[in-house]
Amino acid sequence: MIGIEYILETDWKKTAYIIATGDTQLVNVSDRVHHLWRDSSHARTLPRDNRIKEQARILSDFQKNGWE
């Protein structure tokens, strides 16, 4: 697991969202965040270089926009 992947798995996964927002049913998750979670899952299947680029994009988006 690379650093970016670790940060995505610890700071931006669904469990982190629940802790940060209290939305245990995930009913208030924005479409953007749903897409990022889906993109993150897909990124794990990519070749290493592409995976790193995709995960960097996802992490940048989360860091810039948070859970909104």
Side-chain angles (χ1 to χ4, degrees), residues 33-51:
V33 170
H34 274 294
H35 288 289
L36 291 172
W37 284 338
R38 186 186 64 223
D39 291 350
S40 183
S41 291
H42 173 71
R44 289 185 212 115
T45 67
L46 299 173
R48 186 177 188 277
D49 289 344
N50 292 342
R51 183 178 71 237

Side-chain angles (χ1 to χ4, degrees), residues 15-59:
T15 307
Y17 172 84
I18 292 168
I19 292 168
T21 65
D23 180 10
T24 59
Q25 300 300 312
L26 304 175
V27 295
N28 297 312
V29 180
S30 70
D31 287 341
R32 184 187 61 80
V33 170
H34 274 294
H35 288 289
L36 291 172
W37 284 338
R38 186 186 64 223
D39 291 350
S40 183
S41 291
H42 173 71
R44 289 185 212 115
T45 67
L46 299 173
R48 186 177 188 277
D49 289 344
N50 292 342
R51 183 178 71 237
I52 291 169
K53 289 176 187 174
E54 182 66 357
Q55 288 174 333
R57 178 193 67 79
I58 294 164
L59 180 58

